[in-house]
Amino acid sequence: MEIKGETEYDGFYMIEEIDIPFEEEILRNPYTLKSWFRYIDHKVEQPIQQRIFVYERALKELPGSYKLWKQYLDLRREQVQDLNSVKYEKEYLKVNNCFERALVLLHKMPRIWIDYCSFLVKQCRITKTRRTFDRALKALPITQHPRIWEIYLKFARDIGGETAIRLYRRYLKELQFSTKWYAPMLCDNKFAEMLMTALEPDHVEEYINLLLSLNRYDEAAKRLAQVVNNDRFQSMHGKSNYQLWMELCDLICEHPHEIKSLKVEPIIRSGIRRFTDQVGKLWNSLANYWIKLHHFEKARDVFEEGISTVMTVRDFTQIFDTYAKAEEAVIEKKMEEAAERTEEGQEDPEQDLELDLRLMRFEQLMDRRPFLVNDVLLRQNPNNVHEWEKRVSLWKDNHEKIVETYSKAMRTIDPKKATGKFHELWVNFAKYYERGGDLENARTIFEKATHVNFKNVNDLASLWCEYAEMELRHELFDKAIDVMGRATVPAGNPNVDFRDESIPVQRRVFKSIKLWSFYVDLEESIGTVESTKAVYDRILELKIATPQIIINYANFLEENKYYEESFKVYERGVELFNYPIAFEIWNSGSKLERARDLFEQALEKCPPKYAKSLYLMYGKLEEDYGLARHAMRIYDRATRAVSDEDRFEMFNFYIAKAGANFGVTYTRDIYERAIEVLPDKEAKDMCLKYAELERKLGEIDRARALYAHASQFCDPRTVPSFWQTWHDFEVKYGNEDTFKEMLRIKRSVQAQYNTEVNFISAQILATRQAQQASQQEEGTINDAGEINLE
């Protein structure tokens, strides 16, 4: 196929009769663009040669028309776009020639350059294409360069090689130049937008990928380092600064021999300081770098430095595992070489010695692992008492190391910041000497510990107790007493506030009840009665006694036949404590001749909330050792003195006791008073019990009167059980008149409760009772309101 150009045809041959009107018009208006476009539109259906002929004539008249040239060039490109650029080289050259002629006057039009360069990219003319791109960049202003570079860089990626690298370098230099010299012009928003578009960072990443694909690792690492150090850089692929750092580390560690422009170790160490949550991986990268350079000793130093500086177990595990694998790989290689020498019958003492040393070093490394992990945890928190105890246990039977560890722990731990029980560390240190039979050093440890300003007073108190127990274990009773005596001596103002944290614990420990409790137990066991009494009295003087201390002191005196002093202790205890604590002290007295006086004194100031138990015990005392009438009077007092929530139960208890001792008829007065003073709900229940009693005695009229009295408390809608009970009673014992009277009372009571508020309340109560009934079918409701299924 061949396309004939404008030089192959005679102009008059191309003009037909139908073209005469258009020819006349362009003769009249040769410089009017519309006339030429009408002529061109007229030739749309004609062969391509005629259209080209018209375009060429038009361009001779209007050589500077961008619109005319654009349409003409699009037409010429369209005709050859499906042709092979090698086979039809001449046709492509003709189109190239058209572009060159257009650019003579339109060299400032970026669209023409873009079309021309895009057209050349499809041809196998690399040098021609590259030089055309360069001409475009020289001809166009810098604000139009991004449009050219977009296809220029695509062309560079397609051809690859040294050409692509050089083109990317030029592009990046131009970006640097643009940023430096045109930054003051960024106040122009449109210009700023165009310039910042030219500075897209993805081309830097593409350049780095290109360098990696061409094995140009040194320059790739250099560019990647520049990107990492640029805080304003934003990856178009969404990579974080950390990911770029890791890519750089992986690159320089994978290709250490090719990297010449960068100092690898300072780069990785700066990453370790910067990314504190990924130091394990970075330490491994630095060690692998030296391993690939066959500097195994430097790699070992890096591993050792890493495991001795990391702050987390995760980072330590990463480094240690890599360290162990590296040592195993070297040992495996050495063992293979040794096996080959053995097969060949050769001997190399130096290599064998090196293998033995490596095996010994590897075994030592594995033995050190628990200690290294412990070091990591102690670096995290040097005040962790538990980890110091664990470190002591790791040394097993190494006496020097155990003592050294304990000593270092005492110097390192801040008592106020200690995590765990710091005093137990001192105690265990002393016990270690004690187990070795060295009591003098154990005492020295305890004496030093007593001067430590612990976080809590109880810690120091526990330490003194342990000190005394050590003396007891060796049956040195006098020394144990002496230790507790020194512990309880005030170190300053005896009126110091025990809870004041600003005061050292040594000045407050003498008020520790834990310390005094141990001291008094010690005196009771190995001391005299007088010394024990002195300790108890000292506790009371300091006003730190607890109810249990009071009771123990009184029991101690009672056991030693000091009855009067025992009662005095009880009296002092009652004065010190209010209810409910005083209730336990009152209960502790047991001498019968004073029991009544004690109960009366106890009940005199007892609140109603705590009076029930005392009245019941008082009544039981009178029943067992006194008169039944006295017991009834006490129970009668109890029904008036107890709290409202206990009164109903107290009446039931009183009625039961009265019926058992004096007969059921004696209980009528009690029932009547209970009905008068109890609330409506409890009065209703009391009426039902009273009516049942009268029914059993055959007093039907009295029982009916009680039902009538109780009916005023029972709404038929919420308490149907009461009315059913009365209904059954009338069916069994009544007649037609009494039954009608019962119905009349029921209607009047229902009318009494038939108000809006009462109606709503009744509905709520009925609903709640129905829900409880349904729940009881499935399980039982406990006191907390929870349902326990069986």
Side-chain angles (χ1 to χ4, degrees), residues 260-516:
K260 305 296 183 183
S261 303
L262 298 176
K263 294 181 179 179
V264 176
E265 187 166 358
I267 290 176
I268 298 180
R269 288 185 179 274
S270 65
I272 292 172
R273 292 190 296 270
R274 187 171 182 178
F275 302 104
T276 56
D277 58 337
Q278 297 293 336
V279 294
K281 189 173 182 180
L282 292 170
W283 278 115
N284 287 338
S285 298
L286 180 57
N288 289 332
Y289 169 76
W290 291 116
I291 289 174
K292 293 205 172 183
L293 289 177
H294 302 291
H295 295 168
F296 298 108
E297 294 303 323
K298 285 189 176 181
R300 183 179 291 110
D301 293 341
V302 170
F303 280 127
E304 289 291 340
E305 184 181 358
I307 60 179
S308 62
T309 56
V310 294
M311 300 296 292
T312 64
V313 177
R314 184 195 66 175
D315 292 331
F316 168 81
T317 303
Q318 289 179 347
I319 300 173
F320 187 87
D321 292 345
T322 306
Y323 189 7
K325 289 180 182 178
E327 291 288 349
E328 287 178 353
V330 175
I331 291 173
E332 185 177 355
K333 185 177 179 180
K334 293 292 183 182
M335 292 181 71
E336 290 176 357
E337 293 176 355
E340 291 177 359
R341 289 196 302 272
T342 303
E343 292 177 358
E344 296 175 357
Q346 298 178 358
E347 293 184 0
D348 191 342
E350 293 184 0
Q351 292 294 329
D352 293 340
L353 178 60
E354 183 181 355
L355 177 59
D356 293 339
L357 289 174
R358 287 187 178 277
L359 287 171
M360 183 178 64
R361 185 180 292 164
F362 180 72
E363 183 179 356
Q364 185 183 14
L365 175 65
M366 301 309 294
D367 292 339
R368 287 167 54 206
R369 192 180 194 283
F371 293 94
L372 294 173
V373 173
N374 183 258
D375 285 338
V376 173
L377 296 173
L378 288 177
R379 281 196 295 273
Q380 287 181 357
N381 182 11
N383 299 308
N384 192 329
V385 176
H386 176 71
E387 292 302 325
W388 283 108
E389 290 283 7
K390 187 183 294 185
R391 189 169 188 83
V392 170
S393 64
L394 290 175
W395 290 115
K396 297 181 180 178
D397 298 329
N398 192 329
H399 175 73
E400 293 182 359
K401 291 294 184 181
I402 290 175
V403 174
E404 180 184 348
T405 302
Y406 271 123
S407 301
K408 186 177 180 181
M410 304 312 174
R411 293 193 304 268
T412 304
I413 297 176
D414 184 351
K416 294 297 183 181
K417 299 179 181 178
T419 303
K421 298 179 179 179
F422 185 36
H423 71 282
E424 290 186 358
L425 194 64
W426 284 96
V427 171
N428 293 335
F429 192 11
K431 286 182 177 179
Y432 175 73
Y433 279 112
E434 181 189 357
R435 288 192 295 270
D438 191 352
L439 289 182
E440 289 302 322
N441 276 330
R443 292 191 183 99
T444 302
I445 297 301
F446 274 120
E447 291 295 336
K448 289 182 178 179
T450 58
H451 295 88
V452 176
N453 189 16
F454 293 102
K455 188 188 301 184
N456 299 316
V457 179
N458 287 331
D459 294 344
L460 182 57
S462 299
L463 186 77
W464 278 109
C465 294
E466 291 287 348
Y467 191 1
E469 285 183 358
M470 183 191 73
E471 302 291 358
L472 290 175
R473 284 193 292 270
H474 296 276
E475 299 182 357
L476 301 173
F477 305 118
D478 292 339
K479 288 190 175 182
I481 294 291
D482 180 65
V483 167
M484 296 309 299
R486 289 193 294 121
T488 53
V489 173
N493 182 12
N495 297 322
V496 67
D497 186 1
F498 181 75
R499 297 179 179 81
D500 190 352
E501 299 291 338
S502 62
I503 301 175
V505 293
Q506 283 76 13
R507 294 172 56 190
R508 295 183 284 144
V509 71
F510 74 94
K511 282 193 172 183
S512 172
I513 189 61
K514 182 177 183 179
L515 195 66
W516 283 102

Side-chain angles (χ1 to χ4, degrees), residues 213-230:
S213 65
L214 298 175
N215 298 332
R216 304 290 289 269
Y217 301 114
D218 186 59
E219 187 173 356
K222 185 178 178 181
R223 291 289 182 179
L224 192 54
Q226 293 174 357
V227 167
V228 166
N229 291 327
N230 184 6

Side-chain angles (χ1 to χ4, degrees), residues 706-756:
L706 288 169
Y707 281 123
H709 178 74
S711 65
Q712 61 184 317
F713 312 131
C714 302
D715 186 355
R717 290 166 297 187
T718 59
V719 195
S721 58
F722 168 80
W723 296 98
Q724 184 62 40
T725 302
W726 193 3
H727 176 276
D728 297 340
F729 173 80
E730 293 296 346
V731 168
K732 188 173 183 179
Y733 300 102
N735 51 41
E736 182 177 357
D737 294 336
T738 59
F739 194 83
K740 288 181 179 180
E741 180 64 16
M742 184 268 293
L743 294 177
R744 184 191 66 77
I745 293 174
K746 183 177 181 180
R747 287 193 299 272
S748 63
V749 170
Q750 185 169 356
Q752 177 185 352
Y753 282 95
N754 193 18
T755 63
E756 183 177 358

Side-chain angles (χ1 to χ4, degrees), residues 611-624:
K612 175 185 171 184
S613 298
L614 285 175
Y615 274 112
L616 291 177
M617 288 188 291
Y618 193 6
K620 184 69 167 59
L621 177 71
E622 291 293 350
E623 287 185 44
D624 293 340

Side-chain angles (χ1 to χ4, degrees), residues 45-57:
E45 302 297 334
Q46 300 299 323
I48 184 64
Q49 294 83 0
Q50 295 188 25
R51 295 162 63 189
I52 292 174
F53 171 70
V54 177
Y55 270 116
E56 288 291 341
R57 290 173 60 196

